[in-house]
């Protein structure tokens, strides 16, 4: 009888603990600074009125002035043009067309289903104190003016997407300051994001369940190979 009583108490305690965890509001403080060749990123997590906190600091990164390039390793194709295979003439039947339409519909449904899960979670996410200030100039008045307009357009597009998918609770602080006399590139972005842990857990469970179903059953040869790989990896 005592064992049953203690077991019942343990189960109730676990349920209460799970409820507290799911109801916990997680706050994420995000700050990013870019100044010419230097970048700094800080992400801080807080919960339970600051009793639980975790911070990630990414140190300054400076691009080497002697080699401000991106190296791309290219693979050389085997053989020469003389040994290259000739083009083949392919024929497509009505069945091939039906399979292609089937795969197109399956891909659209797959993407839409994934989009619904992510979008439903993002609707639960709230953003506060969003500030995004940019100083830009390239030493030429005309080109700096064009750059300023482009930056405003980019910011407007990004903020439009954020406001569409998430909740913006406080007024935004967005600026683009041009410098016409000299070249400068500085931007600072900071905000606070918060959501319930339970909403994130629910979205994670849905995504895991969704991907366990594997990719759609494609019929055309290129996409059917993906279906086979997805089935084997599960």
């Amino acid at each position: 009888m005592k064992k049953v009583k203690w077991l019942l108490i343990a189960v109730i305690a676990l349920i209460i603990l799970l409820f507290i965890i799911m109801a916990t509001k997680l706050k994420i403080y995000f700050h990013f600074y870019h100044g010419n060749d230097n970048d700094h990123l800080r992400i801080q997590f807080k919960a339970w009125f600051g009793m639980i906190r975790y911070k990630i600091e990414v140190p300054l990164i400076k691009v080497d002035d002697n080699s401000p390039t991106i190296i791309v390793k290219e693979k050389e194709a085997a053989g020469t043009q003389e040994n290259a295979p000739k083009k083949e003439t392919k024929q497509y039947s009505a069945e091939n067309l039906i399979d292609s339409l089937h795969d197109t519909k399956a891909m659209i449904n797959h993407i839409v289903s994934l989009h619904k899960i992510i979008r439903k979670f993002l609707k639960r996410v709230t953003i506060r104190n969003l500030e995004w200030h940019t100083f830009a100039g390239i030493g030429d008045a005309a080109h700096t003016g064009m750059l300023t307009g482009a930056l405003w357009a980019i910011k407007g597009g990004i903020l439009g997407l954020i406001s569409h998918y998430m909740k913006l609770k406080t007024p935004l602080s967005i600026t683009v300051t041009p410098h016409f006399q000299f070249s400068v590139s500085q931007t600072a972005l900071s905000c606070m994001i918060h959501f319930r842990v339970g909403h994130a857990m629910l979205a994670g469970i849905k995504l895991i369940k969704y991907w366990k179903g594997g990719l759609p059953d494609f019929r055309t040869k290129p996409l059917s190979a993906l279906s086979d790989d997805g089935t084997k990896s599960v």
Side-chain angles (χ1 to χ4, degrees), residues 60-115:
L60 293 175
I61 302 171
K62 186 175 182 179
V63 178
D64 187 3
D65 295 334
N66 297 325
S67 58
T69 57
I70 298 173
I71 301 174
V72 179
K73 187 176 181 180
E74 299 180 355
K75 292 184 179 179
E76 294 183 0
T80 61
Q81 292 183 355
E82 296 177 355
N83 298 326
K86 297 180 180 179
K87 293 183 179 180
E88 296 181 358
T89 302
K90 295 183 179 180
Q91 295 181 350
Y92 295 94
S93 63
E95 184 179 354
N96 297 135
L97 179 60
I98 294 173
D99 291 343
S100 298
L101 293 174
H102 172 271
D103 290 355
T104 302
K105 181 181 178 182
M107 182 65 75
I108 292 174
N109 291 335
H110 195 74
I111 294 173
V112 169
S113 299
L114 180 62
H115 178 261

Side-chain angles (χ1 to χ4, degrees), residues 170-181:
T170 54
L172 306 177
S173 179
I174 310 297
T175 61
V176 177
T177 305
H179 287 269
F180 299 101
Q181 286 76 23

Side-chain angles (χ1 to χ4, degrees), residues 33-53:
Y33 170 79
H34 165 77
N36 295 327
D37 292 335
N38 295 327
D39 298 283
H40 181 259
L41 174 64
R42 182 177 72 249
I43 303 175
Q44 189 172 13
F45 302 87
K46 288 185 179 181
W48 292 355
F49 304 101
M51 294 177 61
I52 298 177
R53 58 178 63 193

Side-chain angles (χ1 to χ4, degrees), residues 132-162:
W132 193 358
H133 304 291
T134 302
F135 301 86
I138 53 178
D140 180 84
H143 291 92
T144 298
M146 295 173 61
L147 177 63
T148 302
L151 289 175
W152 274 117
I154 292 171
K155 287 190 176 186
I158 294 174
L159 295 174
L161 287 174
I162 291 175

Side-chain angles (χ1 to χ4, degrees), residues 99-114 209-234:
D99 291 343
S100 298
L101 293 174
H102 172 271
D103 290 355
T104 302
K105 181 181 178 182
M107 182 65 75
I108 292 174
N109 291 335
H110 195 74
I111 294 173
V112 169
S113 299
L114 180 62
K209 184 179 179 182
Y210 176 76
W211 284 113
K212 275 189 174 180
L215 292 171
D217 184 18
F218 296 120
R219 295 178 182 175
T220 57
K221 286 185 178 180
L223 295 178
S224 62
L226 294 175
S227 298
D228 294 338
D229 292 342
T231 306
K232 292 177 182 178
S233 61
V234 175

